Structures are given as structure tokens and as C-alpha cells.
Amino acid sequence: MGGIWIFADTRGQTLELLNVGHRLAADRKLNLSAFLLNDPDGAGDCISRGADEVLLLPALADDQSLEAFLPVLVEEAKKSDPDMFLFAATARGKELAARVAVHLETGLCSSCTALTYDPERKAVVMERLAHGGAAVQKVVCRTRPVMATIPPGAFEPAEAVEGRSGRTRELPAPPPSRLKVLERKIKAREAQDIGEARVVVSVGRGFEKKEDLAMARELAAALGGEIGCTRPLSEEMHWLPEEACIGLSGAQVKPDLYMGVGVSGQIQHVTGIRNARVICAVNKDENAPIFSVADFGIVGDLYDVVPKLIQKLKQM
Amino acid sequence: MNFKLTEEQELIRKNMREFASKHVDPIAAEIDENSRHPAELFQKLAEGDWMGMPIPAEYGGAGADYLTHIVAVEELSRSCASTGFTVSIHVGIASMLILLFGNEDQKKKYLIPLAKGQNLGAFVLTEPGAGTDVMAATSTAVLDGNDYVINGTKTFTSNGPTGGTYLVFAWTDKAAGRKGMSAFIVPREAPGMRVGEHFKKMGLRSSQTSEMIFKDCRIPRENILGQAGAGMAMAMAGFDHGRVGIAAQSVGILQAALDESIRYSKERVQFGAPIARQQAISWMIANMATDLAAARWLTYHAAWLKDQKQPFSKEASMAKLFAAEAAMRHTVKAVQIQGGYGYIKGAKVERLLRDAKITEIYEGTSEAQRMVISGNVLR
Amino acid sequence: MPTIIACFKWVVDEAYIRKGSSGDLVFSTVDFKISEYDRNAVEEAVRLKEAHGGKVVALTVGPPGATKGVKDALSRGCDEAIFVADTSFENLEPSQTAEILAAVIRSRVPDFDLIICGEGSGDLYAQQVGARLAEHLAIPCISFVQKLGVAGVSLTAERKVERYTEITSALLPSLVTVLPEINVPRIPGVKDTLTASRKPAATVRKEELPPVGEPRLQTIGIAAARMDRTCEKFGADEAELARFADALRKKGVIR
């Protein structure tokens, strides 16, 4: 029995969890099991990327939400007693993980960005952000199974390896849950997924009116990138859709180039850009916090600098 | 001795800070630049019970103690000295005078709307020829049948253009000297009162200041406040309360100057290091922080004495004198710390310096305060 | 007439945390506040009460110094408060907090209709307590709610899931965790704050409840988050911008 278990909403996230799960399993010579939702064709992919076992969950009725699987997950875990149970830190994943943890009477480390087995402690050391992004916390769990939620995008998908084998097991459908889903409204994707963009130009309160964002869009286009923003611009002023919001409760981006234009650099936003390869900023206030986290900072009025930059980029 | 604010006072300060960040900070520079009275802001202040804090609930106020009101004025002034001042005049002088000296009918008719923030109160004493020398005033109020008729010119009336309820001081019996001046409640609609010249000021520009011209201004005789001839005594009581308010306003300005100085000196790098590491700068900040603490405790003590129903004229004057001079002294330094950047429109310290100057002048000049204090101490 | 429980945590206000010179965090001059998202929970509970009648019970667990937080919650429109206080409650972990909340609710407010929690606390942001609490009380749980409606014995919640919005319904009693976009919390007026201490507020001692489980997680370190960047500055004139573009080219992020 035992093993490392992973659960994610989508196959893409499962492959990311397989990456960290595989390393942890190998370190301690444990089996790696992955749940898949209504995706029997994905089993082979998961196995080639490190899963020893794929647990196939059936499709749910339309009016059922993901949390209907809770009793199935709990029962399987109680039967098999895994060492670790990792969940993708999506909205539904986080909720499910917490509820599973209650039934398994164990702790749960939320939004872990790093997990490493420490042979001296004989425990997995988990890292996460606390205090609104101002601090890094290191945690170990004393109970079994060790549970953690992992943000999508924190790890690259596991690499496929030829010739790996594993087994699949079909799990039964759960009884209907007490929640009824009445409707699902797909959000019209107004913005490209900035989580995947190679270049991100982020706009902040330095912009005086919505129409001025056109300048930022031109700059993004010239750089080959997408537009993102700080929270006030999407949540308060509604100049951009919520998918464009970068930060603690928004998107985490890891582009090659991040450029913050008229962005002051509050910690809640900066938390979302830490993994960018090169960080640049344009701000007229030389004391703006963004400059202390930027590789290259231009001190100047964006209304003067951005058009000049666009010109320069077009010439190159 | 308990130097702690109560939990309620701490929560109220926090709420005012949040209110100021949300509603005052975004417009403070604009209302200063355009000399604009932000009516919509005062509407919001009224909704939060901020316009009548120390007035008892039965008269429309929040029933807080005076110290709580002072803490709120300080916190509000930290964002905008003009707004803090307007609230202070409205509550601390106009409303308080009616509370202290008005009869039941006057309190119901005039105090309740003031406490609810439905109109602004004004204190109308100063004249072109009578500033520190209050006795040199020439405005008169003559009883004519069932009315008093007021004639005269008043100047530097804060909330003059925007007021709704004016407390006007005029001679009813010049021969009686100090016991010959009376006070009157004059509503805006009273015939014969009009707003005169509107002043463009160096600082505190959002606060509206003007002359008030009284030409056969008629008000019902029951609008006399308190006893005939008690005007001077009431004005002094008004000043005691108002001065603690101005002290609080100055403390707010000082706190803002300190916030700005700390922020700037930590971020501005010259000679390879933040300028906060230079002793010239760090000593300026040390002095600022020390005077701020002193000003704050003098102010809170004066307010506390009033809440204990003890005499507080001397302490109010001391707090106002010290806090105002400290605000002036240190806003000059705050601009110095920011160098060229502090001299440019848009820099907060530029506005703080212009706002600070008036605190040494109104509600009794620093010279007048010294007269009060020495008069008290040398008795 | 529903009884709504609003759970809140009294946390360090992160604006006051300073970084020490060696990368540690300095908490000596901190102030406290009701955690941001819990303010939304309290606000939503009070709005529902204002629309449907009933009462709002504010509930919190923490060290005894959090009495100010209780007054804060009461000043926001809650009708009464229950405060589970103990000096050992300084650094509870989510599993413990949820157990304590469940125990208090079972013994003091067993006939509740709805529990509203914030999506996560402002300090640790573990986002677990709400879901765990629902499981302990064996009631339906809807998390990350941006819009909430109650009609009779059922609730309808608009839930923000990654790719879409899920409109879900459940029968009361239920628990929801709310997102900050659900409402804008009021700033309490002066009268609200002054009358807060007159509302009923009960303190429950640790001894009056079943014993709290041991912590399952152990923090072995906490340090200021670091971001080490080049921090090179450029001016805004043509020559400087050319230098900037060059720097980007050297890094390989533009052609």
C-alpha cells in the first residue's frame, strides 16, 4: 500500500503534478498514482510521464459538480493509505483537498511551490507564500498522508519517457451529491491566456483613462506579447477582464519578458511575476516599489516613454 | 496614567483612515488646485456620522467624547488639512457653541441638522479691523421690535460661501465693553446677509473663505444665543474647543510630513545609498518625530481635560501653539528633504507646507496664544 | 428568519510588517485587522440579514487580545458575537480552527441556517477552514462564491471555477466561502462603532469545548520573500531608451 497520489481538474495539470510526484516517488521508491477525470485516453500519456497507476473516474451527470467525487476519493484513500496525496490548487481542487483532509484526519499545506524530501528529517519539506506574498513559509506535515495543493503552472509538465508501463483501474460512479449545478457559464475568453505568454505587458494605475490602454496594446504587439494588469484595473475599474489580472489572487505569469507600465509594484501584484525571466518597468515615480524588483527600470512618464519605445521597437 | 486610546477610539481612527484613503486621498490634490469645496465628500462624511461626533445622540450626533472627535480630525487632516479643518470648525466651534449655550428650541432647530451634517456651520467674528484685537469690532445688532438687525462687515469667514448656519458676533451694548457683545444664530436664508469677497489663499485652498456682509440683516430675537452681552465669554469657550481641533489638524499635517519624509528618504538614493543614512536627513526626521509625539500628547491631553469636565483653556492654547509652530517648522524641512521634487506641484509636501502656515494664524495667532498662556501662568 | 454565522479571523495587518536587515520579518510594530476576505463574509451576512430579516452571529477563534476584532465585527452590522479565546490560540492551523469552530457551533448555535467564511485568511491564505468546517458539520459546501442569493430553505450561489462560472444550489443549512468581488464592505460609521460594545458578545473558554487536536503541520522556517534583480535604472531620453532596448536584446528577450 502507500504511494504518492495526485488529483487534478485537467489532464494538463495532472502532467504538471506528475513531474513533482515522480521525483518524490523516486526519492523514496514509492508508487505514483494519478486520478483522471472522464479521460480514459489520457491514461497512456500519464503512464509514459511517470504514473505507475491511473485511477479512472467516470463522467458526472450535468448537474453534478466535481465535489461529488469526494466519497470516492476518501474511500480509496482509506483503503490504500497513500503516503502523500497532492491536489492541483484550482478552486475545486483546493476545496476537495481540504474536505478529504478532514476525513483522513490529516494536515494540508496549501499552494506549495516547492516540495523536497529531506532524508535527515525523513519528511517532505514544503514551501509556500504567506502574509500576502511578503514571506516564504517552510512546512512539514506530521500526519499521514502528507497532503498539499500545488498551483497550476508551478511545475512544468513531466517529460514522456519511452517504454514506461503501468496499470489502469476504473473507479465507480459516486452517489449524487447534495449540490445541484443549475448552469455553467463559459467565460467568453476576452484575453489570451497570459499564464502561457512569452511576453507580458502589464498596465497599472499610471494610465489615466481606458482609451490610453491602446498604447500598451501596441507595445505588447511590438514585443510579441499579451496585456495583463494589476488588480484595480480589472476588479475596480473594469478596464480589462479578470483573466488579465496578475497577482496574488490573479494569474501567475512566467514570461521571458515582463514589462510593468504605470505599475507601482505592490507586493500583491509582484507575487504574480516573480518567475519572469526579465522584469522591466516604466514609472514616473523613481521611488515606486517596482524598481526594486525590476532588472531594468525606466524612470519617466509612460505617456512619453511608451510611444518612443514603440517607435524604437518598430525600427529594429 | 493610562496613555492608551480605548478600543473604540482605535477602531474609529482606523475607520477614518480607511475612509480618508478611499474618499479623500484621491481628490486632495485636485480640490486644493481648484479651490473646490467637495460637497459629495461632506455628504459621505455626514453618512458616516463624522460631522457631529461629540454631539449627544438626542441632538443628532454620535455621542462620542471629544477626544474621539479629535483623533478623527487628526486622521482626516493627515489626508487633507482643508477637509479636517472644515469638520473642526463645523463641529468644534459652531455646533459646540449651540450645544453649550443654546436653548432647547435652538438645539432642536439648528443643532440637529448641523450634527447630521445637513448644512455647514460657520463662526463669524473676525472683521477687517478686528483680528487679534476682538474688541475693535464694529458690527452691531440692534433690537427692533421682534427682530435683531445686524449691520457690519466680517472677514476671513471659513465656510462663509458654503455655510448654512452662521454664529455671528456683534455689539448689542458697546458701552458695556467686554460684556457688551452678543452672539446670534443666523441661518443662510436670513435677509440682509450676503457672501462678500471670496479669498484665494496660499494654502487650505479647498476650505472656502470669504467676507460676510450684513446690511440690515434681520433675524428673530429668539435667535440670540445665550445671554445678551455674553458674546465674548462664548467666543472664548468656542476658541478653547476650536484650538484643540486646530492642534489636531496640525498633528495630522505633521504626521503626513513625517510619513512622506520617511518614505522618500528610504527610497531616494544619492552617493550610492538611501539618503536616510545621511545624518543630516536622519536628524531632521528625528526632530520631526519627536515634535510630532509632543504635539500629539499635548493635543490629546487638552481633549481629555475637556472630557473630564476640567478647565482646559491653557492646555488648548499650548497644544495649538506648539502643534502649529511644529507643523510649520517641519513641513519646511519635509520639502527640504525632497529637494527639487518637494517644490513641484503634485508633491504632497508642497501642499503640506502651504497648508501649515495658516495654523499659526487663525483661531488666535501664535502671538495671541502666548498672551493667553502667559496670562494664565503669570496670574 | 435565518440565523447566519459569519466567521472571521483577526490577523496581523500586512501593511505593518517590516523586513529586517537579515531577511527576517519584524512584527514588533504591527497592528491587527479583520482579515480582508472575512470582511466580505461579514458584509454579505449582514446584507442578507438586511434583506431577509433574522440575525448574524459573528464568530472568531484566537488569543484573548482580539477583543477589538469582536467590536469591529459587531460595528459592521452583526447582532451578536462569540469569541473562543485562549492564549494558546496564537498560531492555530486550519485543521484546528475548523474543529474549534465546529465544536462552538454545535454547542452554541446549533440551529444555524447559513455559515459564511472568507475564501482564505489574509495572513496564511491557506483557504481551508471553510471547507473543513462544512465537512465537520456534514453540510453542503460551496466555495469561491461571487454572488449569493437565499430563497426560503435554499441558496443559489454563483461560483468562480477556472474556466467558467458554476451556478449551484443547495438546501440550507450550508456553508459558503466568498470571494472579495462579492461585495464592497462598508466602513462603519461612528455610531456603529460606539454601540458595538452594547451588543451581546460571549467569550467561550477552551475548557468549555472538547480538547483541540494537535497541530498536524509544523512550520520550520519563515523568512521575507526575496527577489534578487539587477535593478538597473534608465532615463527617458532617446539615448537612454536605445540603451534600454540594447539591454533587452542582450538578454535575448527581443530580436
Side-chain angles (χ1 to χ4, degrees):
Chain A
M1 293 283 95
I4 313 259
W5 283 21
I6 65 179
F7 180 99
D9 293 22
T10 67
R11 196 206 294 186
Q13 290 157 7
T14 308
L15 299 184
E16 290 171 13
L17 294 190
L18 279 173
N19 186 348
V20 58
H22 184 72
R23 187 170 38 78
L24 290 168
D27 283 347
R28 297 151 69 192
K29 305 199 194 334
L30 293 170
N31 271 348
L32 179 57
S33 302
F35 285 87
L36 267 189
L37 277 75
N38 191 26
D39 184 14
D41 297 335
D45 200 7
C46 289
I47 290 170
S48 73
R49 292 175 198 264
D52 298 301
E53 176 187 51
V54 174
L55 302 161
L56 295 168
L57 293 167
L60 287 171
D62 269 344
D63 70 345
Q64 293 292 288
S65 175
L66 196 65
E67 57 102 54
F69 284 124
L70 177 66
V72 174
L73 297 180
V74 169
E75 197 186 313
E76 287 300 311
K78 282 185 170 166
K79 272 198 300 210
S80 306
D81 186 31
D83 294 83
M84 283 193 86
F85 202 163
L86 305 175
F87 283 71
T90 56
R92 296 178 300 177
K94 288 187 267 199
E95 184 200 293
L96 256 182
R99 294 168 67 185
V100 166
V102 171
H103 289 279
L104 301 183
E105 294 183 14
T106 189
L108 171 63
C109 184
S110 302
S111 292
C112 289
T113 48
L115 298 95
T116 327
Y117 182 67
D118 181 348
E120 266 183 54
R121 282 181 201 275
K122 292 206 192 359
V124 177
V125 175
M126 300 176 276
E127 265 183 43
R128 60 183 302 273
L129 290 176
H131 294 293
V136 174
Q137 189 187 16
K138 283 194 173 144
V139 175
V140 296
C141 182
R142 294 164 167 174
T143 51
R144 185 188 174 90
V146 173
M147 288 186 67
T149 60
I150 295 171
F155 296 94
E156 293 294 316
E159 306 247 317
V161 170
E162 286 280 331
R164 276 222 186 104
S165 62
R167 61 196 189 102
T168 60
R169 190 153 62 92
E170 278 185 35
L171 294 176
S177 96
R178 287 175 296 185
L179 290 189
K180 296 272 169 277
V181 177
L182 304 174
E183 198 189 330
R184 284 180 182 86
K185 292 199 279 204
I186 307 282
K187 289 186 281 205
R189 299 218 111 250
E190 294 172 43
Q192 281 280 72
D193 186 357
I194 48 171
E196 302 301 312
R198 203 189 58 80
V199 173
V200 172
V201 172
S202 181
V203 295
R205 280 201 196 264
F207 280 83
E208 283 161 23
K209 16 185 231 307
K210 186 175 177 180
E211 293 70 42
D212 299 339
L213 296 184
M215 198 180 4
R217 287 200 174 89
E218 230 195 303
L219 178 61
L223 290 167
E226 302 295 334
I227 289 279
C229 66
T230 58
R231 200 186 170 88
L233 264 70
S234 58
E235 305 303 321
E236 285 171 34
M237 283 122 79
H238 300 288
W239 287 359
L240 285 166
E242 40 188 79
E243 297 87 60
C245 172
I246 297 171
L248 185 66
S249 45
Q252 306 284 309
V253 296
K254 45 181 203 289
D256 286 338
L257 172 63
Y258 165 93
M259 176 127 38
V261 182
V263 167
S264 65
Q266 300 302 315
I267 187 82
Q268 287 87 351
H269 176 70
V270 164
T271 295
I273 68 173
R274 330 180 74 81
N275 296 316
R277 189 153 76 76
V278 176
I279 295 181
C280 299
V282 179
N283 197 302
K284 68 180 177 193
D285 177 8
E286 71 175 326
N287 304 307
I290 190 91
F291 288 122
S292 58
V293 299
D295 294 295
F296 304 127
I298 301 176
V299 183
D301 188 336
L302 70 91
Y303 286 95
D304 171 48
V305 170
V306 173
K308 283 184 186 160
L309 268 181
I310 293 171
Q311 273 290 83
K312 208 150 244 23
L313 290 167
K314 284 190 176 155
Q315 280 164 12
M316 285 164 71
Chain B
M1 284 167 90
N2 184 4
F3 282 74
K4 263 189 76 86
L5 294 178
T6 64
E7 285 180 339
E8 282 78 0
Q9 284 165 340
E10 287 180 353
L11 283 172
I12 285 172
R13 183 206 285 284
K14 224 192 241 299
N15 289 333
M16 174 51 92
R17 174 79 338 248
E18 194 179 330
F19 180 97
S21 295
K22 192 169 178 186
H23 298 298
V24 181
D25 285 338
I27 62 171
E30 180 262 309
I31 60 179
D32 167 74
E33 178 75 20
N34 296 326
S35 258
R36 180 171 77 85
H37 168 77
E40 73 286 1
L41 173 60
F42 284 90
Q43 171 67 24
K44 292 191 184 104
L45 281 164
E47 283 162 17
D49 314 316
W50 304 103
M51 299 298 280
M53 287 176 67
I55 309 299
E58 67 198 285
Y59 298 119
D65 56 24
Y66 204 65
L67 176 55
T68 310
H69 158 74
I70 286 303
V71 167
V73 168
E74 173 198 328
E75 207 55 50
L76 185 52
S77 302
R78 184 180 177 190
S79 286
C80 174
S82 289
T83 308
F85 171 67
T86 305
V87 172
S88 181
I89 283 281
H90 169 88
V91 176
I93 307 195
S95 306
M96 281 312 284
L97 281 177
I98 301 179
L99 178 66
L100 293 170
F101 303 110
N103 58 43
E104 241 359 80
D105 286 337
Q106 288 168 336
K107 289 181 196 175
K108 285 203 173 65
K109 191 164 179 196
Y110 296 106
L111 181 55
I112 292 179
L114 281 173
K116 291 186 177 172
Q118 287 167 3
N119 68 79
L120 280 178
F123 179 71
V124 194
L125 174 65
T126 303
E127 295 184 12
T132 303
D133 183 4
V134 179
M135 297 284 286
T138 56
S139 299
T140 55
V142 174
L143 190 55
D144 176 33
N146 276 322
D147 299 329
Y148 274 99
V149 180
I150 303 178
N151 274 286
T153 304
K154 298 290 191 182
T155 191
F156 298 141
T157 304
S158 300
N159 298 347
T162 45
T165 309
Y166 298 79
L167 295 192
V168 183
F169 291 74
W171 292 111
T172 40
D173 184 1
K174 191 100 209 268
R178 288 193 76 84
K179 300 239 171 102
M181 202 180 276
S182 301
F184 302 90
I185 304 175
V186 182
R188 190 186 185 86
E189 328 67 80
M193 172 175 78
R194 67 175 181 84
V195 174
E197 185 184 344
H198 227 116
F199 296 113
K200 283 199 184 118
K201 306 191 297 291
M202 174 196 287
L204 227 69
R205 290 166 54 80
S206 167
S207 165
Q208 307 296 308
T209 320
S210 68
E211 284 180 325
M212 297 301 294
I213 319 269
F214 296 85
K215 187 129 166 48
D216 297 328
C217 171
R218 256 177 201 277
I219 47 161
R221 67 186 295 168
E222 49 278 8
N223 276 34
I224 187 169
L225 182 68
Q227 306 277 40
M232 278 296 251
M234 288 190 285
M236 293 304 120
F239 282 137
D240 287 346
H241 291 80
R243 281 163 189 170
V244 186
I246 300 307
Q249 182 204 14
S250 304
V251 172
I253 292 172
L254 258 171
Q255 179 70 63
L258 182 64
D259 295 339
E260 277 288 302
S261 301
I262 292 173
R263 178 193 67 78
Y264 186 86
S265 63
K266 277 184 175 174
E267 289 167 355
R268 170 71 171 173
V269 171
Q270 290 282 269
F271 305 108
I275 60 174
R277 302 233 192 109
Q278 305 286 357
Q279 197 172 73
I281 303 298
S282 64
W283 280 24
M284 282 184 205
I285 291 177
N287 293 338
M288 209 181 285
T290 307
D291 282 346
L292 168 59
R296 181 173 278 137
W297 288 113
L298 275 174
T299 307
Y300 289 3
H301 182 230
W304 179 85
L305 284 169
K306 180 218 148 51
D307 287 328
Q308 300 298 309
K309 301 199 193 331
Q310 292 183 35
F312 66 106
S313 294
K314 178 183 71 171
E315 289 78 8
S317 276
M318 286 176 161
K320 197 266 186 189
L321 171 63
F322 186 86
E325 293 197 333
M328 191 62 225
R329 199 161 58 244
H330 293 294
T331 47
V332 168
K333 292 296 189 198
V335 171
Q336 188 70 15
I337 288 171
Q338 297 198 15
Y341 290 104
Y343 201 67
I344 294 176
K345 288 285 180 194
K348 186 163 180 184
V349 294
E350 184 269 337
R351 169 163 54 93
L352 291 176
L353 174 45
R354 285 185 291 106
D355 284 347
K357 183 60 205 159
I358 192 64
T359 64
E360 295 187 291
I361 296 171
Y362 60 19
E363 300 227 20
T365 59
S366 296
E367 293 68 37
Q369 304 307 330
R370 288 184 165 92
M371 278 164 36
V372 170
I373 297 165
S374 58
N376 201 296
V377 167
L378 287 168
R379 262 210 282 264
Chain C
M1 297 261 280
T3 298
I4 308 173
I5 300 176
C7 297
F8 73 92
K9 188 175 179 186
W10 188 237
V11 299
V12 169
D13 187 341
E14 73 272 356
Y16 289 84
I17 304 174
R18 292 184 293 124
K19 273 190 210 152
S21 41
S22 42
D24 56 323
L25 292 175
V26 179
F27 288 85
S28 55
T29 52
V30 289
D31 197 2
F32 290 78
K33 61 176 187 179
I34 293 184
S35 173
E36 283 308 309
Y37 308 128
D38 296 344
R39 280 193 185 190
N40 297 102
V42 168
E43 178 70 28
E44 195 61 20
V46 172
R47 285 190 192 189
L48 284 171
K49 174 199 68 166
E50 284 166 354
H52 300 280
K55 68 174 182 181
V56 177
V57 179
L59 177 53
T60 189
V61 178
T67 47
K68 200 159 85 173
V70 171
K71 281 188 189 158
D72 194 350
L74 289 170
S75 75
R76 291 170 183 276
C78 299
D79 300 284
E80 44 184 277
I82 301 175
F83 175 23
V84 189
D86 195 86
T87 44
S88 67
F89 288 169
E90 190 78 46
N91 285 309
L92 290 172
E93 67 176 51
S95 63
Q96 297 171 304
T97 309
E99 278 171 28
I100 298 170
L101 288 171
V104 174
I105 292 172
R106 278 187 205 112
S107 61
R108 298 292 182 111
V109 201
D111 298 319
F112 67 90
D113 296 287
L114 177 61
I115 303 175
I116 309 185
C117 300
E119 57 149 317
S121 68
D123 51 0
L124 299 174
Y125 202 57
Q127 300 176 302
Q128 294 179 34
V129 171
R132 281 179 177 268
L133 177 57
E135 218 49 34
H136 280 296
L137 297 173
I139 55 177
C141 172
I142 311 182
S143 54
F144 305 108
V145 171
Q146 60 187 20
K147 198 161 166 207
L148 183 57
V150 169
V153 296
S154 78
L155 69 79
T156 312
E158 210 177 279
R159 196 182 173 212
K160 197 162 132 177
V161 173
E162 272 61 26
R163 279 162 218 270
Y164 46 83
T165 312
E166 219 176 52
I167 311 216
T168 321
S169 90
L171 290 178
L172 300 177
S174 279
L175 181 146
V176 299
T177 76
V178 297
L179 290 172
E181 32 265 63
I182 195 169
N183 59 42
V184 177
R186 64 196 64 187
I187 299 176
V190 180
K191 282 189 216 164
D192 296 328
T193 307
L194 293 174
T195 53
S197 49
R198 288 191 233 136
K199 295 183 181 177
T203 307
V204 175
R205 289 173 306 117
K206 183 172 79 166
E207 293 71 29
E208 296 174 55
L209 298 172
V212 181
E214 286 297 303
R216 284 143 185 147
L217 298 176
Q218 186 190 352
T219 299
I220 58 176
I222 187 154
R226 294 173 61 95
M227 253 178 90
D228 294 316
R229 295 277 171 174
T230 327
C231 295
E232 198 180 333
K233 289 244 186 90
F234 296 78
D237 58 48
E238 287 295 338
E240 282 290 275
L241 292 183
R243 193 166 71 86
F244 171 80
D246 225 40
L248 288 187
R249 204 171 338 135
K250 284 207 188 92
K251 283 274 185 181
V253 290
I254 55 174
R255 282 162 286 105

Short mmCIF file of all heavy atoms in Angstrom, two decimals, chain A residues 283-306:
data_model
loop_
_atom_site.label_atom_id
_atom_site.label_comp_id
_atom_site.label_asym_id
_atom_site.label_seq_id
_atom_site.Cartn_x
_atom_site.Cartn_y
_atom_site.Cartn_z
N ASN A 283 7.92 53.87 -14.95
CA ASN A 283 7.12 54.58 -13.94
C ASN A 283 7.74 55.95 -13.72
O ASN A 283 8.97 56.08 -13.71
CB ASN A 283 7.11 53.78 -12.63
CG ASN A 283 6.00 54.24 -11.71
OD1 ASN A 283 5.93 55.40 -11.33
ND2 ASN A 283 5.13 53.31 -11.33
N LYS A 284 6.89 56.96 -13.56
CA LYS A 284 7.47 58.31 -13.40
C LYS A 284 7.95 58.57 -11.98
O LYS A 284 8.69 59.53 -11.75
CB LYS A 284 6.46 59.38 -13.83
CG LYS A 284 5.26 59.51 -12.93
CD LYS A 284 4.33 60.61 -13.44
CE LYS A 284 3.08 60.68 -12.57
NZ LYS A 284 2.03 61.46 -13.16
N ASP A 285 7.56 57.70 -11.06
CA ASP A 285 8.00 57.86 -9.67
C ASP A 285 9.21 56.98 -9.42
O ASP A 285 9.10 55.75 -9.38
CB ASP A 285 6.84 57.46 -8.74
CG ASP A 285 7.24 57.54 -7.27
OD1 ASP A 285 8.36 58.04 -6.96
OD2 ASP A 285 6.44 57.09 -6.42
N GLU A 286 10.40 57.58 -9.30
CA GLU A 286 11.61 56.77 -9.15
C GLU A 286 11.62 55.98 -7.86
O GLU A 286 12.43 55.09 -7.68
CB GLU A 286 12.85 57.66 -9.24
CG GLU A 286 13.03 58.54 -8.04
CD GLU A 286 14.33 59.33 -8.12
OE1 GLU A 286 15.31 58.80 -8.66
OE2 GLU A 286 14.33 60.47 -7.63
N ASN A 287 10.70 56.33 -6.95
CA ASN A 287 10.63 55.61 -5.68
C ASN A 287 9.60 54.48 -5.69
O ASN A 287 9.34 53.88 -4.66
CB ASN A 287 10.27 56.58 -4.54
CG ASN A 287 11.24 57.72 -4.47
OD1 ASN A 287 12.43 57.53 -4.41
ND2 ASN A 287 10.71 58.94 -4.53
N ALA A 288 9.01 54.22 -6.86
CA ALA A 288 7.99 53.17 -6.93
C ALA A 288 8.62 51.82 -6.58
O ALA A 288 9.71 51.50 -7.04
CB ALA A 288 7.38 53.12 -8.33
N PRO A 289 7.93 51.03 -5.75
CA PRO A 289 8.47 49.73 -5.33
C PRO A 289 8.85 48.81 -6.49
O PRO A 289 9.74 47.97 -6.35
CB PRO A 289 7.34 49.09 -4.52
CG PRO A 289 6.45 50.20 -4.14
CD PRO A 289 6.64 51.32 -5.10
N ILE A 290 8.23 48.98 -7.65
CA ILE A 290 8.51 48.08 -8.78
C ILE A 290 9.99 48.12 -9.16
O ILE A 290 10.56 47.12 -9.60
CB ILE A 290 7.62 48.42 -10.01
CG1 ILE A 290 7.74 47.33 -11.08
CG2 ILE A 290 7.96 49.78 -10.61
CD1 ILE A 290 6.75 46.22 -10.97
N PHE A 291 10.62 49.28 -8.96
CA PHE A 291 12.02 49.40 -9.36
C PHE A 291 12.96 48.54 -8.53
O PHE A 291 14.05 48.21 -8.96
CB PHE A 291 12.48 50.87 -9.34
CG PHE A 291 11.90 51.69 -10.46
CD1 PHE A 291 11.15 52.83 -10.19
CD2 PHE A 291 12.07 51.31 -11.78
CE1 PHE A 291 10.59 53.59 -11.22
CE2 PHE A 291 11.51 52.05 -12.82
CZ PHE A 291 10.78 53.19 -12.54
N SER A 292 12.51 48.18 -7.32
CA SER A 292 13.40 47.34 -6.51
C SER A 292 13.25 45.87 -6.85
O SER A 292 14.00 45.04 -6.35
CB SER A 292 13.15 47.59 -5.02
OG SER A 292 11.81 47.32 -4.72
N VAL A 293 12.29 45.53 -7.72
CA VAL A 293 12.16 44.13 -8.16
C VAL A 293 12.33 44.00 -9.67
O VAL A 293 12.04 42.97 -10.25
CB VAL A 293 10.81 43.51 -7.72
CG1 VAL A 293 10.70 43.50 -6.21
CG2 VAL A 293 9.65 44.21 -8.36
N ALA A 294 12.81 45.07 -10.31
CA ALA A 294 12.96 45.04 -11.77
C ALA A 294 14.44 44.90 -12.13
O ALA A 294 15.32 45.42 -11.45
CB ALA A 294 12.38 46.31 -12.39
N ASP A 295 14.66 44.20 -13.25
CA ASP A 295 16.03 44.15 -13.76
C ASP A 295 16.36 45.46 -14.44
O ASP A 295 17.41 46.05 -14.23
CB ASP A 295 16.15 43.00 -14.78
CG ASP A 295 15.98 41.66 -14.13
OD1 ASP A 295 16.83 41.31 -13.29
OD2 ASP A 295 14.98 40.98 -14.43
N PHE A 296 15.43 45.94 -15.27
CA PHE A 296 15.64 47.20 -15.99
C PHE A 296 14.45 48.12 -15.74
O PHE A 296 13.32 47.78 -16.10
CB PHE A 296 15.77 46.95 -17.50
CG PHE A 296 16.86 45.96 -17.86
CD1 PHE A 296 16.58 44.86 -18.66
CD2 PHE A 296 18.14 46.13 -17.38
CE1 PHE A 296 17.57 43.95 -18.99
CE2 PHE A 296 19.15 45.21 -17.70
CZ PHE A 296 18.87 44.12 -18.50
N GLY A 297 14.72 49.29 -15.17
CA GLY A 297 13.63 50.22 -14.88
C GLY A 297 13.81 51.55 -15.57
O GLY A 297 14.88 52.14 -15.45
N ILE A 298 12.80 52.00 -16.29
CA ILE A 298 12.87 53.32 -16.95
C ILE A 298 12.09 54.31 -16.10
O ILE A 298 10.89 54.13 -15.86
CB ILE A 298 12.22 53.27 -18.35
CG1 ILE A 298 12.95 52.24 -19.23
CG2 ILE A 298 12.28 54.65 -19.00
CD1 ILE A 298 12.31 52.06 -20.59
N VAL A 299 12.78 55.34 -15.63
CA VAL A 299 12.12 56.37 -14.85
C VAL A 299 11.64 57.46 -15.80
O VAL A 299 12.44 58.20 -16.35
CB VAL A 299 13.06 56.98 -13.79
CG1 VAL A 299 12.31 58.01 -12.96
CG2 VAL A 299 13.63 55.89 -12.91
N GLY A 300 10.35 57.51 -16.01
CA GLY A 300 9.83 58.50 -16.94
C GLY A 300 8.34 58.38 -17.06
O GLY A 300 7.74 57.41 -16.58
N ASP A 301 7.74 59.40 -17.69
CA ASP A 301 6.29 59.42 -17.87
C ASP A 301 5.92 58.42 -18.97
O ASP A 301 6.42 58.52 -20.09
CB ASP A 301 5.89 60.84 -18.27
CG ASP A 301 4.37 61.02 -18.29
OD1 ASP A 301 3.66 60.00 -18.45
OD2 ASP A 301 3.92 62.17 -18.16
N LEU A 302 5.03 57.50 -18.66
CA LEU A 302 4.71 56.47 -19.65
C LEU A 302 4.15 57.07 -20.94
O LEU A 302 4.37 56.53 -22.04
CB LEU A 302 3.74 55.43 -19.05
CG LEU A 302 2.30 55.83 -18.74
CD1 LEU A 302 1.38 55.57 -19.92
CD2 LEU A 302 1.79 55.06 -17.53
N TYR A 303 3.48 58.20 -20.79
CA TYR A 303 2.88 58.84 -21.98
C TYR A 303 3.96 59.36 -22.93
O TYR A 303 3.71 59.61 -24.11
CB TYR A 303 1.95 59.98 -21.55
CG TYR A 303 0.65 59.45 -20.98
CD1 TYR A 303 0.50 59.29 -19.61
CD2 TYR A 303 -0.39 59.07 -21.81
CE1 TYR A 303 -0.67 58.77 -19.08
CE2 TYR A 303 -1.57 58.55 -21.30
CZ TYR A 303 -1.71 58.40 -19.93
OH TYR A 303 -2.86 57.88 -19.41
N ASP A 304 5.17 59.54 -22.38
CA ASP A 304 6.30 59.99 -23.20
C ASP A 304 7.11 58.78 -23.65
O ASP A 304 7.47 58.66 -24.82
CB ASP A 304 7.15 60.94 -22.32
CG ASP A 304 8.47 61.30 -22.96
OD1 ASP A 304 8.46 61.66 -24.16
OD2 ASP A 304 9.50 61.21 -22.27
N VAL A 305 7.35 57.87 -22.72
CA VAL A 305 8.25 56.74 -22.97
C VAL A 305 7.66 55.69 -23.89
O VAL A 305 8.31 55.19 -24.80
CB VAL A 305 8.68 56.10 -21.62
CG1 VAL A 305 9.41 54.81 -21.85
CG2 VAL A 305 9.51 57.07 -20.81
N VAL A 306 6.40 55.32 -23.66
CA VAL A 306 5.82 54.20 -24.42
C VAL A 306 5.80 54.48 -25.93
O VAL A 306 6.24 53.62 -26.72
CB VAL A 306 4.43 53.82 -23.88
CG1 VAL A 306 3.76 52.78 -24.77
CG2 VAL A 306 4.56 53.27 -22.47
#
